[in-house]
Amino acid sequence: MDARGLVRSVRVVGAAQGLRAARAAWRGRRADARALPRVVRERARVPGEARGAEPEPGGGVVRFERSSLRVRVTAGGMVFCGWDGAGPEPSYALAGACPQADARAVLEPDKDGGWRVVSERVLVTVTRLGAVEVRTPGGVVLRRDLPPRWWEPVDGGAGARWVQRSEVPPDARFFGLGGRAPGPRLRGGPYRLWNAGPAPFGAGRGERSLTMPVLWVVADAGGHLVFHDNSWDGLVTLREGVEGAGSGHDRPGRCEVRMSGGPLRYWVLTGSPPRVMQGWRALTGAPAVPPRWALGHQHALWGAEGAEGVRRIVAGYAERGLPLRAVHLGVGHHRRRRGFTVDPGRFPDLPSLASALRGSGVRLVSVVEPAVRAEAGEAVYEDGRAEDVFVRDARGVPVRGLGWAGEAVYPDFTDPRVRKWWGGLYAERLEQGFAGFCHDMNDPVSFALLGEPTLPRSARHCLESRGGDHREAHNVYALAMARAGFEGLRGLRPRERPFLLSRSGWAGLQRYGGTWTDQAETGWEGLRASLAQVIGLGLCGVPYCGPDVGGAPGAPRPSPELYLRWFQLSAYLPLFRTHGGPGGGRREPWEFGPEVLEHARAALRERERLLPYFATLARLAQRSGAPCVRPLWWGAPKDRALRECEDAFLLGDALLVAPVLEPGVARRAVRLPRGRWYDAVTGEMYEGPGQVVVEAPLSRIPVLVRAGAVLPVAGADGGTELEVWAPPRGRTGGGVVAVDAGDGWGRGELERFSVRMLGREAVVAREGTGEVGYPVRVRGIRS
């Protein structure tokens, strides 16, 4: 942090809090110096030569001079590799038990003293010196992992760090890692794997509050996803390859993964993007389906506005004809910023307010933070101390940090007993009338003027009874907190699906809810970064996400044009939220002038019209793992032009959204995948693949519809109807409609429809019965 950032931080929280932050930083450094292993001489180690192998179901264990490698192919074609005896479990990422091994996969000797595992869907070869190649069944190399290297203490202590270098095809492009800016394509350079979001005393612009060691590699030879199941602090360094002019002149792409400790184990999933995401869903769990109301527009407040301020803002939306489904209340609604409390002065009767708002179709959402004010008499603190739930240091003393409420302690969510205790606290929030929850500052954050704004690395955690410290627990802390909240809410309200957002998290977060992007600055760069993160998070398995319109609440106020373009983009993202707060000014649409208000109203109405489509995409994501927001190459990963395109995206299979990401734009170029596309407003027809120039007036952003699409939309009466876009002659099309199962746990029926042209008439039929059952509106038929 530079001097300017230090001054800004102290101004945000006050000089007294700044002094406490300095003291918290000093305590953390002292604890680490006392408890963490000292830097000692290290000895490098490599596997050495292969000495033999032991077959197992799905593969086997290859023994080397100084290490061993377990290779397993699952029944779904996923590949697991674990060095030094590492197995797939225990793992915070996996949903349930490890996938069943492929009984037909065979470990057999390979040439030059190596070994290979042959299966129907993938071929894995292990060389004599420990390089691992993952190939297609036809033998095409998708990735080559070079022999790893460890650095171990000479005295034999624990905690070896390691590095693994890999080679991929020279034309490969990288995506993922939890969503990074400026992406979604990840350029060459280092990417840290350490959750560190923008807080008043936070890290730099390159940090992200939600990181995942999940990397996509997309190339002509085929695509794959690689997941290093290790939650320690790490660094991924990427370098794109170069294709030479002739044979032998190609330079492969390279990926280097460095971890400060923990097991060297990873999964590789191969195939088409839909197949990879289906496997990722099977491995890490199905995405939670948000309640229907959570697919509409939401507005977040600091909370200090009080009950009258909330009523005024909700009335402002209603008076201007702007649909609103939820209001989020931040720490300002708490009593002196203490969690699980309400300020009686600002909110004298919060349950009545929540009930009145729900009657008008608006839910209340509460912020929840892990920091618990460490003060005698505070109910949560006293109860937690009695139950012994807080993170302790190496001496057994609860670790003290600094949160919004002042000096704080932190629950250890890696302990099942603590998760159950924490989940019970949400009963108070439900009694206050809240319908959803937003986990914030859960990286976890402990303000510090110097060093990292989190708990000391020496802090002790349960880690499901295995024991360990914060070096291993940090990245999964928010994931475990999300689990605690989700399971607690399921027990408290068993007939309702929980609505839960988490700022931070790790692989598998989708099982419990969604997230929002953490762009820290306003500006057109922040707008582009928010889109990149949404696409990247979707590829990592988290489909329900979106940015705060206009940038983070503490960022400078955006210009009217930037706000509108951000608003228009967000109307086509799963989480659609505006957010006002201290330092950033008001963010309601009418605060930016009558022209912005008019165009924002149009975007909101279109979002309401598309709610049945968003509900369908959420159900499809739960069943298949496919993200709602997809890169343009999703259906054609071998199309290099689509792999390079970063300024547009697919919303499901039917819509192509091309947001305006620069100022002063009235027309823009759009890269089209193969097929026929229609302008959703004008009906003009375009043929892909190729690039076209379309109108992008201030009133809207370009949205194109795939020919043959059957879109479920909301009709004038509020019921669902089908918007059908005519397929080319001789072709057919189709679509899916998720039948509304309410906000409970019903599986939700999916109805499939087909469309074909019969002369100049589009014939729509429901799969199985032939009867449509919905009003149909056909578009795209030329006169």
Side-chain angles (χ1 to χ4, degrees):
M1 176 180 293
D2 58 19
R4 182 180 302 174
L6 178 62
V7 171
R8 183 169 58 247
S9 299
V10 174
R11 185 181 298 137
V12 170
V13 300
Q17 192 84 318
L19 292 175
R20 296 190 187 100
R23 187 166 60 247
W26 176 78
R27 280 201 307 259
R29 289 193 173 191
R30 186 179 62 174
D32 285 347
R34 182 169 49 233
L36 287 180
R38 295 186 178 183
V39 177
V40 296
R41 291 186 301 128
E42 295 177 317
R43 177 188 297 112
R45 171 169 63 91
V46 294
E49 293 192 8
R51 294 305 191 197
E54 303 166 8
E56 291 182 348
V61 177
V62 181
R63 303 290 181 183
F64 296 86
E65 289 179 292
R66 292 176 290 276
S67 186
S68 65
L69 169 65
R70 171 172 280 107
V71 180
R72 178 185 298 172
V73 178
T74 72
M78 294 180 282
V79 178
F80 172 78
C81 295
W83 286 92
D84 281 358
E89 299 172 298
S91 170
Y92 278 97
L94 270 59
C98 178
Q100 184 178 4
D102 183 357
R104 297 173 296 177
V106 179
L107 176 67
E108 59 187 35
D110 196 17
K111 61 183 179 180
D112 299 328
W115 297 83
R116 66 179 182 175
V117 179
V118 182
S119 72
E120 182 180 358
R121 294 186 175 182
V122 69
L123 171 65
V124 184
T125 63
V126 182
T127 69
R128 178 174 56 88
L129 296 178
V132 180
E133 291 184 349
V134 178
R135 301 170 177 259
T136 67
V140 178
V141 178
L142 298 177
R143 67 179 293 111
R144 175 181 170 85
D145 299 319
L146 303 178
R149 181 182 295 267
W150 295 266
W151 286 269
E152 301 168 322
V154 172
D155 61 6
R161 57 191 179 93
W162 53 263
V163 61
Q164 183 181 54
R165 297 181 175 90
S166 306
E167 296 178 348
V168 297
D171 65 301
R173 294 294 180 260
F174 301 105
F175 302 85
L177 296 183
R180 303 296 180 115
R185 171 183 153 201
L186 303 177
R187 266 60 176 190
Y191 297 86
R192 192 182 180 192
L193 298 172
W194 186 257
N195 293 345
F201 306 112
R205 295 172 54 192
E207 305 292 355
R208 286 288 173 265
S209 58
L210 201 165
T211 66
M212 298 185 197
V214 181
L215 184 67
W216 275 78
V217 181
V218 185
D220 290 352
H224 68 273
L225 176 153
V226 59
F227 165 52
H228 281 83
D229 195 350
N230 183 315
S231 62
W232 287 62
D233 189 2
L235 191 70
V236 177
T237 304
L238 304 176
R239 191 183 76 183
E240 292 183 348
V242 176
E243 293 182 283
S247 175
H249 293 277
D250 289 349
R251 189 179 70 193
R254 297 184 183 275
C255 172
E256 179 184 276
V257 179
R258 287 182 176 269
M259 288 291 180
S260 59
L264 172 44
R265 58 180 180 176
Y266 59 99
W267 292 84
V268 180
L269 286 66
T270 66
S272 66
R275 179 176 153 187
V276 168
M277 290 308 299
Q278 180 71 47
W280 184 247
R281 174 196 175 279
L283 189 67
T284 62
V289 178
R292 186 70 173 244
W293 58 265
L295 298 174
H297 176 235
Q298 306 172 50
H299 187 78
L301 302 170
W302 179 248
E305 299 84 352
E308 290 306 313
V310 172
R311 291 191 182 97
R312 183 172 59 252
I313 288 175
V314 172
Y317 274 94
E319 291 167 1
R320 294 168 176 84
L322 304 174
L324 181 66
R325 298 302 182 99
V327 172
H328 295 229
L329 297 182
V331 295
H333 86 278
H334 292 145
R335 176 180 54 82
R336 298 170 64 190
R337 297 183 177 181
R338 271 84 164 161
F340 297 103
T341 65
V342 175
D343 186 329
R346 294 188 173 103
F347 294 90
D349 191 354
L350 187 54
S352 294
L353 172 64
S355 178
L357 292 179
R358 184 177 288 231
S360 62
V362 178
R363 266 74 169 181
L364 280 183
V365 176
S366 171
V367 69
V368 176
E369 298 179 356
V372 175
R373 169 67 178 179
E375 181 178 310
E378 289 294 327
V380 177
Y381 173 67
E382 295 288 4
D383 190 36
R385 188 167 63 170
E387 296 290 335
D388 187 22
V389 301
F390 300 121
V391 175
R392 293 179 175 271
D393 63 19
R395 300 172 299 165
V397 178
V399 172
R400 294 290 182 104
L402 187 66
W404 283 118
E407 192 166 81
V409 288
Y410 296 78
D412 182 7
F413 297 113
T414 68
D415 187 335
R417 181 179 57 85
V418 176
R419 289 198 293 268
K420 184 176 181 180
W421 170 81
W422 182 265
L425 298 179
Y426 290 76
E428 180 272 340
R429 299 283 84 187
L430 295 174
E431 291 173 1
Q432 295 291 346
F434 288 106
F437 303 92
C438 181
H439 290 178
D440 202 0
M441 309 293 283
N442 58 342
D443 307 311
V445 169
S446 173
F447 297 147
L449 285 177
L450 300 172
E452 294 178 330
T454 189
L455 303 185
R457 295 194 173 209
S458 59
R460 304 298 300 172
H461 291 266
C462 172
L463 289 168
E464 316 307 318
S465 300
R466 292 183 291 110
D469 58 36
H470 199 66
R471 293 175 296 175
E472 180 179 358
H474 176 86
N475 279 342
V476 297
Y477 186 88
L479 176 69
M481 180 184 177
R483 178 180 177 180
F486 184 84
E487 292 177 348
L489 291 168
R490 286 196 65 171
L492 294 167
R493 293 281 174 86
R495 296 185 179 180
E496 297 181 11
R497 296 196 306 274
F499 172 71
L500 194 152
L501 295 175
S502 179
R503 183 178 94 170
S504 188
W506 204 61
L509 176 65
Q510 74 276 1
R511 299 192 295 263
Y512 313 118
T515 185
W516 70 97
T517 64
D518 61 0
Q519 67 285 350
E521 297 185 10
T522 309
W524 294 92
E525 180 181 353
L527 171 59
R528 291 187 289 271
S530 65
L531 173 58
Q533 290 180 61
V534 171
I535 295 175
L537 286 164
L539 290 173
C540 292
V542 185
Y544 185 72
C545 56
D548 285 324
V549 173
R557 179 182 171 94
S559 68
E561 182 188 9
L562 174 59
Y563 177 87
L564 177 60
R565 292 308 196 186
W566 216 315
F567 196 96
Q568 292 168 334
L569 164 64
S570 298
Y572 293 94
L573 300 178
L575 172 62
F576 183 13
R577 184 174 79 169
T578 47
H579 197 156
R586 301 286 292 273
R587 298 284 176 87
E588 296 81 39
W590 56 86
E591 296 291 337
F592 293 86
E595 186 179 19
V596 170
L597 174 61
E598 177 187 356
H599 300 328
R601 183 184 294 114
L604 273 172
R605 289 177 176 172
E606 180 63 9
R607 173 58 173 240
E608 289 288 308
R609 194 180 76 90
L610 289 175
L611 282 182
Y613 185 54
F614 276 97
T616 297
L617 293 179
R619 287 290 180 181
L620 290 173
Q622 181 192 40
R623 296 198 182 187
S624 69
C628 304
V629 174
R630 308 167 184 175
L632 288 190
W633 51 260
W634 177 261
K638 294 185 179 182
D639 188 327
R640 296 191 177 191
L642 296 181
R643 294 206 298 258
E644 304 292 336
C645 184
E646 301 178 286
D647 61 355
F649 61 92
L650 297 173
L651 182 59
D653 284 333
L655 300 183
L656 190 161
V657 182
V660 174
L661 305 176
E662 297 178 352
V665 171
R667 305 181 76 209
R668 60 150 293 174
V670 178
R671 174 67 59 178
L672 297 179
R674 183 176 300 277
R676 178 173 296 177
W677 298 84
Y678 297 99
D679 187 301
V681 174
T682 66
E684 186 172 351
M685 184 177 67
Y686 303 98
E687 294 288 344
Q691 183 171 281
V692 297
V693 177
V694 298
E695 298 297 321
L698 197 61
S699 59
R700 63 182 178 91
I701 58 175
V703 178
L704 305 177
V705 189
R706 191 188 301 272
V710 178
L711 278 174
V713 298
D717 61 352
T720 299
E721 64 181 31
L722 303 182
E723 184 176 88
V724 178
W725 291 83
R729 294 186 183 278
R731 302 284 183 88
T732 60
V736 179
V737 177
V739 179
D740 189 2
D743 288 342
W745 293 97
R747 178 171 170 78
E749 181 184 355
L750 294 180
E751 300 175 335
R752 302 184 183 277
F753 295 86
S754 63
V755 58
R756 61 186 177 89
M757 295 301 297
L758 188 62
R760 298 189 55 79
E761 181 181 359
V763 179
V764 182
R766 189 203 307 243
E767 186 179 278
T769 66
E771 298 180 1
V772 177
Y774 297 97
V776 176
R777 179 189 177 200
V778 180
R779 300 186 63 183
I781 297 180
R782 299 296 180 180
S783 57

